[in-house]
């Protein structure tokens, strides 16, 4: 973690909606979902049960809100690229230095992902090789290369082309002993390749890895969808309201396309199907459009500060939450108070643990300490 003191001018140029949306996304990973589960424990019923179900991953086919969390983060990673990488290319930055930076960032993210999975335990037999940060590293690296070497139309063609090619491969390339076009947990090409080339352990289904080999390619398209949204926001041809409406319209169109495609290629997060990319991309566009309209177009941004604090140190809280239990600190202050709240203890506990996490990030924010990867 490095101490960074970015100039005020740079901070002002940032789109508040992107930082807030990233923070909104990370909030659920860093403990927000525990609040939803606690609400169900305190007030069990049909409505709270339905809400809680949205914070569990679908076993295979379908889509819940919690299935959006990872693709939304990849989408935001892509959305930032036109504001950072494209801008630097247009300003004539040294391309060799840019390539070196991309490689360094790829390697560091991948290494951090291995550390997250237990690399420092020094037990290679139990180390999971794929992971969330590893996939982010790969998608960021390839999307950045595409951005540096193609125009916007080319980037759109690459994003769409990957989805079509992935669909054709999954439907027409046979799995040995099974055949082609089988999209079940036990028998699908992506899972077969994972079992063939990736050693155990896997996540998050037993017949392959949730961040496996073949399914990483459509995840690149998720990142490129964010790139296209970033170009749209960066354009000076449209008013802020027009940009927001454009994102919302593209989000609806993406959801409709996902629904239509799902009849032939179901929406499945575990193997990141093309229809899943469009479904998650549609919701990501809708959220970005709403955040952008409220925060950047209309100027109502004070409410988003809570999420911005999280969003500006997203990788930090992802890593820290893996190795440190914020409940330890929370318990010091609440140990004697919890019994006073009786039936509401689970909800109070969840809220206070998340608050402790946020105060840690707020301290980093005030000190201008950000993990720059």
């Amino acid at each position: 973690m490095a101490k960074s003191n970015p100039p005020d001018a740079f901070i002002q140029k940032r789109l508040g909606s992107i930082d807030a949306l990233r923070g909104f996304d990370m909030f659920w990973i860093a403990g927000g979902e525990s609040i939803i589960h606690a609400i169900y424990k305190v007030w069990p019923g049909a409505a709270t049960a339905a809400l809680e179900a949205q914070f569990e991953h679908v076993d295979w086919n379908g889509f819940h809100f919690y299935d959006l969390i990872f693709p939304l983060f990849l989408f935001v990673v892509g959305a930032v690229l036109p504001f950072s990488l494209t801008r630097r290319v247009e300003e004539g930055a040294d391309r060799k230095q840019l390539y070196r930076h991309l490689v360094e960032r790829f390697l560091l993210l991948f290494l951090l992902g291995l550390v997250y999975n237990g690399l420092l335990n020094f037990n290679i037999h139990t180390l999971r090789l794929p992971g969330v940060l590893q996939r982010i590293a790969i998608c960021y690296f390839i999307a950045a290369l595409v951005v540096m070497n193609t125009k916007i139309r080319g980037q759109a063609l690459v994003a769409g082309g990957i989805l079509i090619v992935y669909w054709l491969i999954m439907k027409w390339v046979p799995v040995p002993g099974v055949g082609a076009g089988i999209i079940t947990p036990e028998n699908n090409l992506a899972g077969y390749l994972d079992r063939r080339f990736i050693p155990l352990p896997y996540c998050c289904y037993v017949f392959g890895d949730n961040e496996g080999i073949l399914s990483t390619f459509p995840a690149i398209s998720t990142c490129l969808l964010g790139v296209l949204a970033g170009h749209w926001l960066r354009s000076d041809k449209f008013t802020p309201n027009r940009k927001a409406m454009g994102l919302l319209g593209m989000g609806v169109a993406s959801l409709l396309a996902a629904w239509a495609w799902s009849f032939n290629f179901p929406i499945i997060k575990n193997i990141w199907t093309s229809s899943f990319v469009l479904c998650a991309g549609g919701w990501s566009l809708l959220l970005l459009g709403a955040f952008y309209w409220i925060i950047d177009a209309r100027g109502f941004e004070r409410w988003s500060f809570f999420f911005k604090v999280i969003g500006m140190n997203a990788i930090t809280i992802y890593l820290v939450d893996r190795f440190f239990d914020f409940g330890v600190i929370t318990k010091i202050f609440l140990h004697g108070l919890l019994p006073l709240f009786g039936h509401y203890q689970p909800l109070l506990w969840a809220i206070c643990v998340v608050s402790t996490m946020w105060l840690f990030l707020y301290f980093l924010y005030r000190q201008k300490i950000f993990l720059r990867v």
Side-chain angles (χ1 to χ4, degrees), residues 157-366:
L157 290 174
V158 171
I162 290 174
L163 296 184
I164 293 172
V165 170
Y166 182 60
W167 166 57
L168 293 174
I169 289 174
M170 290 291 288
K171 298 294 288 188
W172 292 103
V173 175
V175 176
V178 176
I182 308 299
I183 311 292
T184 64
E186 301 86 353
N187 299 307
N188 68 84
L189 183 64
Y192 168 77
L193 292 176
D194 292 344
R195 296 192 301 272
R196 183 74 174 80
F197 296 106
I198 302 178
L200 291 169
Y202 297 147
C203 178
C204 294
Y205 73 112
V206 298
F207 302 102
D209 197 283
N210 201 40
E211 280 89 36
I213 299 170
L214 193 58
S215 62
T216 295
F217 287 94
I220 296 168
S221 289
T222 297
C223 195
L224 287 171
L225 287 178
V227 168
L228 297 175
H231 282 304
W232 175 259
L233 290 179
R234 187 169 177 262
S235 171
D236 57 3
K237 297 180 180 179
F238 307 104
T239 65
N241 285 338
R242 177 68 179 87
K243 290 178 181 180
M245 294 303 105
L247 290 173
L248 297 176
M250 288 184 284
V252 172
S254 186
L255 289 174
L256 290 174
W259 173 78
W261 207 343
S262 69
F263 289 99
N264 184 268
F265 199 20
I267 297 172
I268 304 171
K269 178 185 183 294
N270 283 332
I271 55 174
W272 217 276
T273 58
S274 301
S275 57
F276 172 79
V277 172
L278 293 179
C279 183
W283 286 113
S284 298
L285 286 163
L286 290 177
L287 282 170
L288 179 57
F291 272 62
Y292 176 78
W293 184 77
I294 295 171
I295 297 172
D296 294 305
R298 301 295 296 170
F300 300 119
E301 60 178 339
R302 296 183 67 177
W303 66 273
S304 67
F305 180 72
F306 175 86
F307 294 125
K308 287 182 182 179
V309 169
I310 303 173
M312 294 186 71
N313 253 318
I315 299 296
T316 301
I317 194 57
Y318 183 76
L319 290 170
V320 171
D321 192 52
R322 174 67 173 86
F323 299 105
F324 181 78
D325 183 3
F326 284 100
V328 173
I329 296 178
T330 306
K331 191 173 183 179
I332 295 174
F333 296 98
L334 285 184
H335 182 68
L337 295 176
L338 279 176
L340 300 177
F341 290 84
H343 179 65
Y344 300 98
Q345 285 186 44
L347 182 57
L348 174 68
W349 175 256
I351 293 173
C352 289
V353 171
V354 172
S355 299
T356 302
M357 174 273 297
W358 188 86
L359 288 173
F360 164 72
L361 292 177
Y362 179 66
F363 170 78
L364 298 182
Y365 177 87
R366 288 296 302 268

Side-chain angles (χ1 to χ4, degrees), residues 103-120 122 127-129 132-138 315 319 323 373:
V103 172
E104 290 173 352
R105 190 174 194 186
F106 164 76
L107 293 175
L108 182 54
L109 273 172
F110 203 95
L111 178 61
L112 288 174
L114 293 177
V115 171
Y116 184 93
N117 286 356
L119 176 65
L120 299 183
F122 301 107
L127 177 65
R128 177 178 170 236
L129 296 181
V132 168
L133 292 180
Q134 293 91 315
R135 175 164 282 186
I136 292 173
I138 295 169
I315 299 296
L319 290 170
F323 299 105
V373 180

